[in-house]
Amino acid sequence: MDAQGRGRADNIDPADQWVLNPNTGEYELRLTPSAPQSGVPRPRRGSPANAGPGAGTRARRAPERESPPTPSPDVPGPRRRRGAPAEPPPGRRKGRTKPKKSKAKKILLWTGGSMAFVLVAVSAAGYLYLKHLEGNVSTTDVGSAGKKGFSKDEAFNILIIGTDKRTGAGNEGYGDAGSVGHADTNILLHVSKDRTNATALSIPRDLIVDVPDCPTKQSDGTTKVVPGTQNVRFNTSLGQDGRDPGCTMRTVKAVTGIPVDHFMMADFNAVKTLTSAVDGVEVCVAHAVNDKESHLKLPKGKSKVEGEQALAFVRTRHSFGNQGDLDRIKVQQQFLGSLMRKMASSDTLTNPAKLISLAEAATKALTVDTGIGKVSTLKDVALELKKVPTKNITFTTVPVLDNPAEKVKATVVVNESQGPAVFDAIKNDVSFTAVKQKEKKEKAEVAARLKGTRSAAADIRVDIYNGGAPAGSAQETLNWLQNTEGVLKSSQLGNADATLSKTTLEYSPDQADQARKLADLMGLSASALKPGKSEKNSQGLPAIVLTLGKDFKGAGVSLTTPTKAPEVDKSTADKTVCAS
């Protein structure tokens, strides 16, 4: 992008204009080194974070959010140095000659006096460059398969898809020549709500699944439903019969029960351009590799790969393990961990030229859903992921078994004795690494809610609402409580005012014994109990409030979430593992 005019006729490389602000941890556009740097103000802080739900846990309508205040167009003039005499009034000056200003003082005065110009120039250049990057990104509207926007205050799941579609020169040796772009490499990236950890779950392309019906947006704006199909390879959830990435997202949810918020998709060229942008990625092999299929040649030990060689590394499988897709997945996980370390390194973060190259390469390589289709949103996603320590980014794979229906083993199926526990841990935001608890005191206070006396079931007075569970769940729960558990003083009052992700139980202090008993009956964890206020039931008597959330699995089915992830074959992004 050409730099905006700053009193120079020549063009300026944008990479020379971005400087790390140590106060915010973000890069900001600055003037060229030849221009004064001190006049560039720190960016305005964003508007206050939107308030979340109120202290009460019963679902209620959220208040309208206020628009952030519009910044004043007035730019203050230069400030007088503390202790300096006031400027004399206009007119002829009398007295002794004023000492000649030093060069440094002249620069400071000039910078302060041109503050308005700097603001306009920097804002215009930054805006134009962001718009330029935004033009690089391709988007796909996946409809209800994902979320409409991105929240910095919630856990999020992004499906990373690598297709086998050939684009660009030099990719003739990879993928199928006529492929429409199947889901060849698939990683479900879960980032925890508190940003202490993340889990990258690889999904084998040869996993046998049922692909659900997929509503897909057509070029003319209409929606076409691509019929689902059973007992097919996972990779056919994309491309086959016109399926879009939304179909792959729906398939992931159908297989794992984990909702997918967004997707990022790239083809073979992305590996080449991204690795070149960061000046190569370090990889390690346990033995020398000379693969005739991928043309990968590497000596034993550590090497740096980029471009064509990096692509050959992640595509190679005949030189590793049993030459199958599961062993190639481990190689790809090792590569991604190394790429994450390189992107987070000071060598990259303090090099504006690399960051610009990385921004260009990433935006040109990616196709994303419309919910994160703006560069500003992609930046937010990256900054949230940056908060996660690499030692707490876990790479693992869906637990699988050889397909028992095949004599010649070519595909796999989910291991039903291990898979559900892995999926539940991710769905409930449980880390696969040992994460230091930030709020031990708060967690102890929450756990204490279940400690104490219990009332008799017949003494529980509860009103039941449906706050996101399947239709009929409140009545189902009422019938179960009254007919099976003896909670006779119960009633269901229809739908709550808002949708909840998790079931809650709100009560006043003098009803704690009732709440603890109901928690035992329903299998509610301590975090589901919300001390607060009760409400008056239809007879005007105080009643605790049970609101069934999206996590409701059926009357009598425990809602206690796992607190520890199962043991899995895993690696973490902070360690180098040699492919073998």
Side-chain angles (χ1 to χ4, degrees), residues 470-514:
S473 294
Q475 184 62 48
E476 178 190 352
T477 301
L478 176 69
N479 295 339
W480 173 73
L481 286 174
Q482 290 185 341
N483 300 327
T484 306
E485 301 299 331
V487 183
L488 303 179
K489 300 175 185 178
S490 53
S491 58
Q492 73 91 1
L493 300 179
N495 293 331
D497 294 334
T499 300
L500 299 179
S501 60
K502 295 184 180 296
T503 297
T504 61
L505 182 59
E506 188 173 4
Y507 56 96
S508 60
D510 60 342
Q511 297 170 311
D513 58 342
Q514 296 181 40

Side-chain angles (χ1 to χ4, degrees), residues 400-423:
V400 296
L401 298 171
D402 287 334
N403 188 351
E406 295 176 334
K407 291 184 178 179
V408 178
K409 304 304 180 184
T411 61
V412 293
V413 296
V414 173
N415 184 337
E416 294 297 339
S417 67
Q418 299 177 6
V422 173
F423 305 150

Side-chain angles (χ1 to χ4, degrees), residues 374-390:
K374 292 185 177 180
V375 168
S376 57
T377 308
L378 289 173
K379 181 205 73 171
D380 289 341
V381 173
L383 289 176
E384 292 306 303
L385 181 57
K386 180 185 171 186
K387 295 176 181 178
V388 182
T390 53

Side-chain angles (χ1 to χ4, degrees), residues 281-285 297-305 309:
V281 172
E282 185 182 87
V283 297
C284 181
V285 292
K297 293 183 179 181
L298 289 177
K300 178 182 177 180
K302 295 180 179 180
S303 300
K304 186 171 76 171
V305 296
Q309 195 178 31

Side-chain angles (χ1 to χ4, degrees), residues 323-381:
Q323 304 184 15
D325 190 50
L326 295 178
D327 290 301
R328 187 181 64 162
I329 284 175
K330 292 181 180 179
V331 173
Q332 292 172 343
Q333 290 173 346
Q334 175 209 328
F335 174 84
L336 286 174
S338 184
L339 179 59
M340 286 181 176
R341 292 194 299 274
K342 187 62 179 286
M343 287 181 173
S345 69
S346 58
D347 182 49
T348 299
L349 294 178
T350 59
N351 189 323
K354 282 187 181 180
L355 286 174
I356 292 295
S357 296
L358 188 58
E360 292 283 354
T363 51
K364 288 178 181 177
L366 290 176
T367 297
V368 301
D369 61 282
T370 52
I372 55 173
K374 292 185 177 180
V375 168
S376 57
T377 308
L378 289 173
K379 181 205 73 171
D380 289 341
V381 173

Side-chain angles (χ1 to χ4, degrees), residues 36 99-114:
K100 186 176 180 180
K101 298 185 182 69
S102 69
K103 184 177 180 181
K105 290 181 178 178
K106 283 184 178 180
I107 291 176
L108 287 172
L109 289 174
W110 181 91
T111 303
S114 59

Side-chain angles (χ1 to χ4, degrees), residues 57-336:
T57 57
R58 183 180 163 209
R60 300 180 177 92
R61 286 187 174 86
E64 292 289 326
R65 292 188 173 96
E66 296 181 359
S67 300
T70 304
S72 170
D74 301 325
V75 179
R79 294 185 178 180
R80 179 164 53 89
R81 184 164 51 88
R82 182 177 296 178
E87 192 71 22
R92 180 173 298 177
R93 302 190 184 211
K94 295 181 179 181
R96 62 187 181 87
T97 304
K98 191 173 183 179
K100 186 176 180 180
K101 298 185 182 69
S102 69
K103 184 177 180 181
K105 290 181 178 178
K106 283 184 178 180
I107 291 176
L108 287 172
L109 289 174
W110 181 91
T111 303
S114 59
M115 182 78 77
F117 168 76
V118 172
L119 282 172
V120 173
V122 170
S123 298
Y127 172 79
L128 289 175
Y129 188 64
L130 287 178
K131 295 303 289 184
H132 159 71
L133 288 177
E134 210 146 277
N136 291 344
V137 182
S138 299
T139 60
T140 298
D141 185 352
V142 296
S144 61
K147 289 187 175 180
K148 299 300 181 184
F150 175 74
S151 172
K152 297 180 182 180
D153 303 319
E154 298 177 353
F156 60 91
N157 301 314
I158 296 181
L159 181 62
I160 302 170
I161 306 172
T163 76
D164 59 1
K165 189 174 183 179
R166 292 182 183 178
T167 60
N171 293 324
E172 292 77 10
Y174 306 104
D176 300 324
S179 176
V180 293
H182 294 114
D184 192 56
T185 298
N186 311 277
I187 298 175
L188 180 61
L189 177 64
H190 169 80
V191 180
S192 70
K193 182 176 180 178
D194 61 7
R195 307 300 187 249
T196 61
N197 66 93
T199 302
L201 180 69
S202 291
I203 304 171
R205 66 177 186 178
D206 295 328
L207 180 68
I208 295 299
V209 299
D210 293 340
V211 178
D213 293 344
C214 296
T216 58
K217 296 282 186 178
Q218 305 299 300
S219 57
D220 60 0
T222 61
T223 298
K224 174 186 175 182
V225 177
V226 180
T229 183
Q230 287 73 47
N231 294 316
V232 294
R233 279 178 165 88
F234 181 90
N235 67 344
T236 60
S237 64
L238 176 68
Q240 199 85 359
D241 300 323
R243 295 188 179 103
D244 66 6
C247 295
T248 311
M249 295 166 70
R250 295 176 194 274
T251 304
V252 170
K253 184 176 181 181
V255 173
T256 66
I258 303 169
V260 183
D261 302 319
H262 305 285
F263 84 87
M264 294 181 178
M265 182 172 68
D267 58 24
F268 291 145
N269 273 333
V271 175
K272 297 196 291 188
T273 57
L274 287 174
T275 53
S276 295
V278 295
D279 193 28
V281 172
E282 185 182 87
V283 297
C284 181
V285 292
H287 54 78
V289 174
N290 186 358
D291 195 289
K292 296 180 180 179
E293 298 288 335
S294 67
H295 308 294
L296 177 67
K297 293 183 179 181
L298 289 177
K300 178 182 177 180
K302 295 180 179 180
S303 300
K304 186 171 76 171
V305 296
E306 67 175 280
E308 189 70 31
Q309 195 178 31
L311 178 57
F313 183 80
V314 298
R315 295 296 302 162
T316 294
R317 60 175 172 173
H318 294 287
S319 295
F320 302 122
N322 295 322
Q323 304 184 15
D325 190 50
L326 295 178
D327 290 301
R328 187 181 64 162
I329 284 175
K330 292 181 180 179
V331 173
Q332 292 172 343
Q333 290 173 346
Q334 175 209 328
F335 174 84
L336 286 174

